[in-house]
């Protein structure tokens, strides 16, 4: 579903390599966790997938489509939730959701069903007629999550999704991710919370200084490590 | 003390973007932007020189009637009044609506420190307003009168302190205003209405001044002398209501004796004193207006409400949805509302009104003119609406206004054609408001027939499309996305200025062609030709935009 073929990105005329020759392939129905310390290149990688940063070289393929050659086709399969939910604060929540749904050309019935479901689940339905500017950080995040889920994306990309969510919502989000994978969709997310990654990811990649230093299932990662360790120890060992 | 120095340093840096300018210079990026800015500035110079030349003439007349100090007084008065008026707007956005406040307020610093540092940065910005006005007066007076070294030393001191008192006044006024309007959910509305009232008052003042010039104009050849005599009175009257300008001019005109020194000391002393008073007042005024100001209150009873999603969902075509979003944002952001929409509605009204206030003689000329060439008013009307298409700044800031939300546009599967059509539609919607304002106010002044109204409406709106597209081309080439205050996206956006320059060329070029052709070609042919120019340029700019948006959406970082 998602294939990164040796993509790189550097800043300051190549002096700072943010992402260095990363390749990975994620199959439909997989939850893929992207782990790494601050500044390792997680967000840069994600931005290259969703069309916010053009890779210096390499290719991004989404559902068999080169995401930088046919961006429109690729983007209609993707939904993206950034780490910082900046949305139009003068729009009402519902106006924002309708706007996003219009861009994905989702029918009224479909969007109604999805909105009802997710707004109830995230408990923001009654705030949906207020302007986004009046929302708390967490509410904004839930709004962005809802807007990303309305389009039933084949590839769901989230940057640090658990930050700022209350325990119940992050529990719900994990359930949603699982559900989506059962339906054959793909979830790709970055996180600091190792416990989340350990629990719900089918596969994990650990990135450090722009390079993938380990990739595989939890079992595979453990077997490569010196001893049968927790993910935390593996993480610390690899990203030193 | 260290605190305040550090505050000023940081504020300078964020306001004038020193770090980011240094950064982009190092990257050899954006260098051409500085060149474009230079060219834009140069294009204003000819007009400026004409004005300065005119000032030289006025000096001579003041000199003849032995009222040289009046000349200086007009200069000081003009620059201080301008600083005060601009100050009101600057102070509002800088003290109350800039994003750094959320970080500054929780810090262990006094409100007066915040105000003090922000005041310093504003002073620098205000020199951009005051220097171009006051310097010609100082130089003309100094050079023509062959004044000595001491004159120039006094001048430097005065020029440096000129913005202090008016800026203090606008600071205090705004702080009081914000303190007492910081109430309830409707504060945005209250403040927008106040701004409109303020602008209307300005327009009224403009009429008054117009009337005086008009009177002078009637005197025929003695125009300048009468202007001076008339405005002499005006300047004196205004000067009396604002004594600091008198002190400054008396200080300069008496620099050779002790009176000059005394007035200099009074002027500078009053500046320092007023600054101290403002700082003192800020302790009790500033936070009251600020805190809670940024908060947006939710509607009442969020908790007890039952929302039915069914009634509030609706599917619309992507380009319509995009246009709708643009229009909502324009209406709901006070600064956009005032500049784009307010401008589009007010400019035509003001223009038509000031034409009337020019007096009956002028109207007679206009009426005679219209009788001999009735289609001329139609053409001018079309040209005016087309120019509004750029003046409304909707196109030339459309991507800049996205700011931090730009990621939404770039990650959604939106067709480039929808991007263009949606954003042009938003501009057209605003234009319709301007069109209505203009036609209504024209109907009050002259008789417009149906044909003229239809022509102005269709061709005016048609011509607004290429205007908006030109604006969009400029804006997507160099969008300003890093703003912290919507004011920056619209009022401090160079794209607006560049757009206006190009708009002048476009409308001016077409106007020139029509002027050349109007007596040789049938008027209907001219209208047809005009429509063709608009259609062809719309299409041409559309294709350019299509390519540019595709490219820029990929490479912007």
């Amino acid at each position: 579903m998602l294939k990164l073929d040796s993509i790189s990105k550097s800043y300051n005329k190549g002096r700072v390599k943010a992402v260095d020759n990363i390749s990975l392939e994620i199959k439909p129905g997989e939850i893929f966790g992207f782990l790494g310390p601050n500044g390792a290149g997680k967000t840069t990688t994600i931005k290259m997938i969703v069309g916010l940063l053009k890779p210096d070289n390499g290719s991004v393929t989404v559902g068999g489509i080169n995401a930088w050659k046919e961006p429109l086709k690729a983007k209609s399969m993707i939904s993206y939730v950034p780490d910082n939910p900046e949305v139009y604060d003068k729009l009402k929540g519902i106006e924002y959701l309708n706007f996003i749904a219009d861009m994905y050309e989702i029918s009224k019935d479909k969007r109604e069903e999805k909105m009802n479901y997710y707004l109830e689940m995230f408990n923001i339905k009654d705030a949906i007629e207020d302007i986004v500017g009046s929302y708390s950080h967490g509410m904004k995040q839930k709004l962005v999550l809802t807007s990303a889920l309305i389009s039933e994306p084949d590839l769901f990309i989230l940057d640090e999704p658990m930050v700022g969510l209350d325990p119940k919502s992050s529990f719900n989000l994990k359930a949603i991710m699982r559900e989506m994978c059962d339906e054959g969709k793909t979830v790709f997310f970055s996180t600091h919370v190792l416990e989340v990654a350990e629990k719900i990811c089918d596969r994990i990649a650990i990135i450090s200084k722009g390079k993938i230093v380990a990739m595989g299932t939890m079992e595979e990662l453990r077997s490569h490590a010196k001893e049968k360790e927790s993910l935390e120890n593996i993480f610390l060992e690899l990203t030193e | 003390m260290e605190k305040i120095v550090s505050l000023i340093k940081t504020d300078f840096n964020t306001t004038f973007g020193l770090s980011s300018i240094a950064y982009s210079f190092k990257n050899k990026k954006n260098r051409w932007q500085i060149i474009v800015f230079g060219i834009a500035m140069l294009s204003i110079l000819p007009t400026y020189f004409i004005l300065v030349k005119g000032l030289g003439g006025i000096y001579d007349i003041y000199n003849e009637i032995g009222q040289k100090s009046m000349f200086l007084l007009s200069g000081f008065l003009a620059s201080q009044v301008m600083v005060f008026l601009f100050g009101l707007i600057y102070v509002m956005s800088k003290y109350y609506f800039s994003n750094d406040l959320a970080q500054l307020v929780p810090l262990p610093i006094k409100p007066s420190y915040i105000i003090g540092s922000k005041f310093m940065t504003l002073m620098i910005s205000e020199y951009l307003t005051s220097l171009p006005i006051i310097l010609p007066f100082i130089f003309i007076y100094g050079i023509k009168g062959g004044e000595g070294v001491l004159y120039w030393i006094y001048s430097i001191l005065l020029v440096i302190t000129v913005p202090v008192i008016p800026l203090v006044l606008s600071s205090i006024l705004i702080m009081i205003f914000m303190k007492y309007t910081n109430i309830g959910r409707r504060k945005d509305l209250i403040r927008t209405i106040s701004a409109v009232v303020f602008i209307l008052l300005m327009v009224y003042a403009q009429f008054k001044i117009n009337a005086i010039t008009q009177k002078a104009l009637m005197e025929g050849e003695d125009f300048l002398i009468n202007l001076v005599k008339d405005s002499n009175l005006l300047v004196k009257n205004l000067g009396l209501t604002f004594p600091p300008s008198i002190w400054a001019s008396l200080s300069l005109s008496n620099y050779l004796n002790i009176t000059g020194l005394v007035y200099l000391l009074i002027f500078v002393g009053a500046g320092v004193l007023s600054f101290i008073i403002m700082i003192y007042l800020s302790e009790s005024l500033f936070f009251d207006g600020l805190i809670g100001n940024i908060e947006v209150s939710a509607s009442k009873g969020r908790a007890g409400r039952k929302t039915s999603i069914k009634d509030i969902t609706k599917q619309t075509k992507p380009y319509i949805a995009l246009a709708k979003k643009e229009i909502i944002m324009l209406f709901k952001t006070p600064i956009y509302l005032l500049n784009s929409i307010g401008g589009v509605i007010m400019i035509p009204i003001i223009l038509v009104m000031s034409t009337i206030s020019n007096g009956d003689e002028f109207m007679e000329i206009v009426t005679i003119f219209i009788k001999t060439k009735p289609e001329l008013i139609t053409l001018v009307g079309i040209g005016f609406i087309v120019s509004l298409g750029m003046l409304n700044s909707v196109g030339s800031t459309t991507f800049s206004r996205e700011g931090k939300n730009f990621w939404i546009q770039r990650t959604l599967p939106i067709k480039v054609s929808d991007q263009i059509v949606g954003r042009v539609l938003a501009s057209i919607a605003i234009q319709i408001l301007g069109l209505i304002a203009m036609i209504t106010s024209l109907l009050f002044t002259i008789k417009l027939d149906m044909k003229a109204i239809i022509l102005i409406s269709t061709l005016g709106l048609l011509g607004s499309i290429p205007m908006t597209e030109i604006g969009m081309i400029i804006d997507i080439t160099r969008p300003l996305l890093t703003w912290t205050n919507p004011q920056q996206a619209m009022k401090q956006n160079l794209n607006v200025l560049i757009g206006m320059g190009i708009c002048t060329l476009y409308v001016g070029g077409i106007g020139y062609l029509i002027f050349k052709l109007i007596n040789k070609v049938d008027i209907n042919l001219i209208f047809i030709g005009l429509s063709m120019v608009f259609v062809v340029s719309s299409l041409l700019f559309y294709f350019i935009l299509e390519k540019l948006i595709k490219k820029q959406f990929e490479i912007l970082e």
Side-chain angles (χ1 to χ4, degrees), chain B residues 203-213 234 357:
Chain B
V203 173
Y204 177 74
Q206 172 73 26
F207 286 161
K208 281 281 170 202
I209 294 169
N210 259 358
I212 292 167
T213 7
L234 179 81
S357 74

XYZ file of all heavy atoms in Angstrom, chain B residues 203-213 234 357:
103
model
N -13.166 60.361 6.725
C -13.698 60.784 5.437
C -14.300 62.177 5.570
O -14.115 63.044 4.718
C -14.749 59.775 4.940
C -15.433 60.299 3.692
C -14.106 58.434 4.664
N -14.990 62.397 6.684
C -15.591 63.708 6.927
C -14.498 64.778 6.957
O -14.622 65.831 6.315
C -16.344 63.679 8.260
C -16.948 65.000 8.644
C -18.093 65.468 7.994
C -16.378 65.776 9.639
C -18.642 66.684 8.332
C -16.920 66.994 9.985
C -18.051 67.452 9.332
O -18.592 68.661 9.674
N -13.406 64.469 7.652
C -12.287 65.408 7.715
C -11.741 65.653 6.316
O -11.430 66.791 5.932
C -11.188 64.857 8.616
N -11.688 64.593 5.541
C -11.212 64.679 4.164
C -12.080 65.659 3.367
O -11.580 66.503 2.632
C -11.267 63.273 3.557
C -10.996 63.185 2.085
C -9.542 63.402 1.789
O -8.694 63.154 2.635
N -9.251 63.891 0.595
N -13.403 65.570 3.555
C -14.326 66.485 2.870
C -14.019 67.931 3.239
O -13.979 68.811 2.408
C -15.781 66.186 3.248
C -16.298 64.941 2.596
C -17.424 64.301 3.096
C -15.679 64.407 1.472
C -17.902 63.159 2.492
C -16.155 63.266 0.870
C -17.272 62.631 1.385
N -13.807 68.137 4.523
C -13.528 69.486 5.006
C -12.311 70.063 4.303
O -12.317 71.193 3.834
C -13.286 69.451 6.524
C -14.573 69.383 7.314
C -15.196 70.756 7.397
C -16.606 70.665 7.969
N -17.435 71.814 7.608
N -11.261 69.239 4.250
C -10.024 69.707 3.621
C -10.257 69.945 2.135
O -9.827 70.943 1.566
C -8.886 68.696 3.863
C -8.567 68.656 5.360
C -7.642 69.071 3.070
C -7.650 67.532 5.763
N -11.016 69.029 1.523
C -11.366 69.181 0.117
C -12.044 70.517 -0.135
O -11.763 71.200 -1.103
C -12.338 68.069 -0.292
C -11.611 66.976 -1.048
O -10.410 67.084 -1.275
N -12.317 65.950 -1.415
N -12.955 70.849 0.754
C -13.718 72.080 0.585
C -12.780 73.277 0.588
O -12.940 74.206 -0.208
C -14.755 72.205 1.694
N -11.771 73.210 1.456
C -10.816 74.319 1.523
C -10.017 74.426 0.221
O -9.899 75.504 -0.361
C -9.865 74.145 2.724
C -10.668 74.308 4.019
C -8.728 75.156 2.669
C -9.925 73.863 5.242
N -9.526 73.295 -0.250
C -8.773 73.318 -1.504
C -9.659 73.798 -2.632
O -9.230 74.556 -3.504
C -8.245 71.925 -1.884
O -8.775 70.977 -0.992
C -6.747 71.883 -1.881
N -5.966 77.121 8.909
C -6.231 75.735 9.280
C -5.087 75.185 10.121
O -5.287 74.602 11.188
C -6.410 74.894 8.003
C -6.658 73.426 8.233
C -8.128 73.214 8.568
C -6.294 72.620 7.000
N -18.917 66.635 -3.307
C -18.540 67.705 -2.391
C -17.583 68.684 -3.058
O -17.269 69.722 -2.514
C -17.901 67.126 -1.131
O -16.612 66.681 -1.428
